[in-house]
């Protein structure tokens, strides 16, 4: 009589190996896609398009030039919610991606030709948040803004 136990054990090992290889391939594909999105202009455009689609129209980003990994510019960035609209024209960012691993965002240069904030007027006073702390440390070397326009409209 033959023993079927070794054959079953070999089958289980083969299944486990295939599963492990599939997981490694999936992780590698995700990492490659992430690297492609950060290190190529086309990948960055796709990533920003996905961000715009996920936001359900709240975020509109147009005209990416450069790589998200180090230096890029955006022609127009618009954020909308029920009470306000923030529009940034000609945003340029030069930053160090490698520092983000230590929870530090190093901004060498951030500039915009204009920032426009449209918000609805409110009769109630603004409430301060409980905390203004952020989970990241920011180190900004050069910040420049050409024009800031704050517009309040009647509700």
């Amino acid at each position: 009589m033959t023993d079927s136990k070794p054959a079953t054990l070999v089958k289980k090992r083969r299944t486990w190996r295939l599963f492990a290889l599939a997981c490694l391939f999936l992780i590698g594909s995700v990492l490659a896609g992430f690297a492609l999105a950060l290190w190529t202009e086309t990948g960055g455009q796709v990533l920003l398009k996905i961000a715009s689609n996920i936001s359900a129209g709240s975020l509109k980003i147009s005209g990416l030039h450069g790589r998200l990994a180090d230096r890029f510019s955006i022609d127009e960035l618009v954020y909308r919610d029920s009470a306000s609209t923030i529009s940034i024209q000609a945003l340029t960012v030069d930053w160090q991606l490698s520092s983000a691993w230590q929870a530090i965002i190093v901004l060498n240069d951030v500039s915009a030709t204009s920032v426009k904030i449209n918000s609805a007027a409110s009769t109630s006073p603004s409430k301060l948040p409980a905390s203004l702390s952020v989970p990241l440390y920011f180190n900004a070397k050069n910040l420049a803004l050409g024009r800031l326009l704050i517009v309040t409209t009647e509700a």
Side-chain angles (χ1 to χ4, degrees), residues 39-149:
W39 290 98
T40 66
E41 187 170 327
T42 305
Q45 290 169 348
V46 170
L47 186 64
L48 293 181
K49 181 74 169 171
I50 290 170
S52 293
N53 290 340
I54 288 174
S55 72
S58 295
L59 184 64
K60 179 185 156 207
I61 303 168
S62 59
L64 173 69
H65 309 283
R67 304 180 315 176
L68 294 176
D70 47 23
R71 183 173 178 80
F72 63 91
S73 63
I74 296 173
D75 293 339
E76 181 181 41
L77 186 143
V78 179
Y79 171 76
R80 286 187 176 87
D81 65 13
S82 60
S84 62
T85 301
I86 300 171
S87 175
I88 303 173
Q89 303 294 320
L91 173 66
T92 301
V93 177
D94 181 358
W95 71 300
Q96 297 174 11
L97 174 65
S98 60
S99 64
W101 296 109
Q102 290 99 24
I104 300 171
I105 303 298
V106 177
L107 302 168
N108 298 322
D109 182 41
V110 177
S111 64
T113 57
S114 71
V115 174
K116 182 178 180 183
I117 302 171
N118 289 331
S119 62
S122 175
T123 56
S124 62
S126 298
K127 289 180 91 176
L128 291 175
S131 172
L132 294 175
S133 65
V134 292
L136 300 171
Y137 174 76
F138 286 88
N139 182 357
K141 296 178 181 175
N142 184 27
L143 302 174
L145 178 59
R147 183 177 74 174
L148 174 63
L149 181 62

Side-chain angles (χ1 to χ4, degrees), residues 10-20:
V10 169
K11 239 182 192 180
K12 284 182 181 180
R13 283 185 183 166
R14 186 176 297 147
T15 303
W16 171 249
R17 285 181 185 152
L18 287 174
F19 177 74

Side-chain angles (χ1 to χ4, degrees), residues 24-44:
L24 286 174
F25 178 76
L26 180 63
I27 291 169
S29 297
V30 168
L31 290 175
F34 188 65
L36 184 69
L38 289 175
W39 290 98
T40 66
E41 187 170 327
T42 305

